[in-house]
Amino acid sequence: MEPILSRKTILLVDDLPQNIDLLRNILSPGYRLKVALSGEKAISIAQSPSPPDIILLDVTMPDMDGYEVCEKLKASALTRKIPVIFVTAMTDIENEARGFEVGAVDYITKPVSPPIVLARVATHLALYDQNRVLEEKVRERTEELAHVRDVTIHGMAVLAETRDNETGNH
């Protein structure tokens, strides 16, 4: 088992404690868990200095439903890249489509199957990690290209300043 500090963090969001308990039983052996019983609390936790690596979010909640929570998360620069998986009893195709429209990466229907929850969480965490690594490589490569461009421009400027008898001493 991994040391607890290196484990990924999952934010579980559901207004019903029994649903949180079920997901906690499935996920706690392999992940650190944070819990929010409301959409407002979920947004607050996601925007904290130690944000979760992934969010499992119920759709049907009082005050702010899961779709609205997801929209707010995706509208914020701090949280837009955190993957959101809806975990809900809503099985209509329209609800599933709406979940993807507001920015979710997956949609799991209740009652949940533990192997499916574990597999989908692992898959989306791996994709999220790969995206972070690729973004870092792109940032590093962009910095290298900017440096090469600057060196090239400087070299051309020095070359242009070089005076040569055969080109008219200019």
Side-chain angles (χ1 to χ4, degrees):
M1 182 182 259
E2 286 184 75
I4 195 157
L5 292 176
S6 67
R7 289 198 274 168
K8 301 292 183 195
T9 301
I10 301 172
L11 173 57
L12 305 175
V13 186
D14 199 309
D15 60 314
L16 299 175
Q18 61 268 30
N19 291 338
I20 295 286
D21 290 342
L22 175 64
L23 289 170
R24 184 179 307 200
N25 289 337
I26 294 169
L27 297 164
S28 64
Y31 301 98
R32 284 185 291 154
L33 303 175
K34 295 182 179 184
V35 173
L37 297 174
S38 71
E40 188 175 305
K41 182 66 176 168
I43 292 169
S44 173
I45 291 171
Q47 293 178 340
S48 72
S50 59
D53 295 294
I54 193 166
I55 299 170
L56 273 58
L57 176 62
D58 185 27
V59 173
T60 309
M61 296 186 296
D63 299 325
M64 187 185 314
D65 70 19
Y67 298 131
E68 188 178 349
V69 173
C70 191
E71 286 174 327
K72 289 183 184 234
L73 291 168
K74 297 306 174 181
S76 169
L78 292 173
T79 57
R80 81 171 37 113
K81 294 181 181 178
I82 301 172
V84 174
I85 297 176
F86 280 115
V87 181
T88 181
M90 300 174 81
T91 59
D92 294 343
I93 292 172
E94 295 81 19
N95 292 321
E96 191 171 344
R98 174 105 193 274
F100 289 118
E101 286 169 10
V102 298
V105 296
D106 211 337
Y107 195 94
I108 300 172
T109 56
K110 297 175 186 172
V112 298
S113 161
I116 288 176
V117 170
L118 290 168
R120 290 189 180 176
V121 165
T123 297
H124 289 292
L125 283 171
L127 288 170
Y128 186 47
D129 283 344
Q130 286 176 348
N131 283 339
R132 287 191 277 198
V133 167
L134 288 173
E135 286 173 2
E136 179 61 22
K137 287 183 181 203
V138 166
R139 187 193 60 74
E140 288 173 2
R141 186 66 180 139
T142 301
E143 286 177 6
E144 287 175 22
L145 289 171
H147 178 69
V148 167
R149 179 199 63 216
D150 292 345
V151 168
T152 302
I153 290 171
H154 178 59
M156 292 176 79
V158 169
L159 187 61
E161 292 175 1
T162 302
R163 297 176 190 254
D164 185 350
N165 287 337
E166 287 148 1
T167 58
N169 289 327
H170 52 76

